[in-house]
Amino acid sequence: MTHRGRIVSAVALTTLTLGLTACNDSDDTSSAQDSPSASAPAPSDPGSKSPSADPGDDAAAPAGGDVTAPGTKLKIGDRAVLPFKYGTDKKGTVAVTVTAIEKGAEADMAAFGSKAKGMTPYYIRMKVENVGGTDLSYASLRLRGKLEGGGPTGVILVGDLPGKCDSETAPRDFTTKGVSYETCSLSATKTGPVAVASFEEGASYSGNPVVWTS
């Protein structure tokens, strides 16, 4: 199932419209609150009705193993074990393996209209595994794209490009240890290439993320 969300351009301080809602990201720009917004449509699949991941609180400790420490630097293909909280009642431990950071074509952004002109999309592909064995069904996990060296892209995307980068929610049976699924986080830039995928959820990781570099 595909999760649709919202999109903000912090470079142009404008919102790319595809029936999505603007949000502010203090890491990328201090004046993004000036961006206009558009209302998002109601989601159509059951997974997208779940609340978004809560970055303000760490998840439960993992069952049978240590988590990857905040600030850890990994390579594409490496596996990180991470505490995860989704909404108010889903907590657990997941393993995330970034399998690729793929460059798309500017034409792929055409669905977002003229405000996307000059933006190059990047597709962060990953495998997510339930390590703790808790119920994380329909949860959604997102990684943020960064420039080489870890700088912000200046463009914040929450959503997907169907057929190019599908942001999937966890399946219904994502409730037991060992179950996994694949998903994609969409990033974009008008400047340098996206070369880093960053996990920033939870109090311990928001300022000291786990990163994968290409």
Side-chain angles (χ1 to χ4, degrees):
M1 62 197 71
T2 301
H3 179 79
R4 301 305 297 273
R6 55 199 177 193
I7 177 172
V8 173
S9 166
V11 171
L13 299 183
T14 56
T15 302
L16 303 185
T17 57
L18 190 62
L20 304 175
T21 304
C23 62
N24 180 31
D25 179 44
S26 59
D27 291 338
D28 287 355
T29 176
S30 60
S31 56
Q33 64 267 25
D34 296 331
S35 303
S37 63
S39 297
S44 59
D45 62 89
S48 62
K49 294 179 181 178
S50 299
S52 60
D54 181 357
D57 191 13
D58 284 337
D66 294 331
V67 296
T68 302
T72 298
K73 294 177 172 57
L74 303 170
K75 292 292 185 182
I76 301 300
D78 289 343
R79 180 177 183 264
V81 177
L82 301 164
F84 182 67
K85 179 180 179 181
Y86 187 78
T88 59
D89 59 350
K90 291 182 182 285
K91 293 183 179 181
T93 309
V94 296
V96 178
T97 303
V98 176
T99 57
I101 300 177
E102 297 177 0
K103 181 181 178 179
E106 183 180 335
D108 295 344
M109 297 290 287
F112 294 117
S114 60
K115 292 177 182 178
K117 186 176 181 180
M119 290 186 184
T120 301
Y122 285 81
Y123 310 138
I124 301 172
R125 305 193 188 281
M126 73 193 91
K127 176 183 176 181
V128 183
E129 178 187 348
N130 191 331
V131 172
T134 57
D135 182 358
L136 296 173
S137 56
Y138 304 120
S140 178
L141 184 147
R142 176 177 177 265
L143 300 182
R144 178 166 294 176
K146 300 286 187 180
L147 302 179
E148 188 174 3
T153 64
V155 179
I156 306 166
L157 302 171
V158 182
D160 57 10
L161 287 175
K164 299 287 186 178
C165 184
D166 295 303
S167 177
E168 304 289 348
T169 55
R172 183 175 60 183
D173 64 351
F174 201 65
T175 59
T176 57
K177 185 175 181 179
V179 177
S180 65
Y181 71 100
E182 295 182 356
T183 185
C184 180
S185 289
L186 177 63
S187 187
T189 176
K190 279 190 171 182
T191 56
V194 172
V196 177
S198 178
F199 176 84
E200 304 177 2
E201 295 184 8
S204 297
Y205 295 90
S206 59
N208 198 17
V210 171
V211 298
W212 290 260
T213 57
S214 57

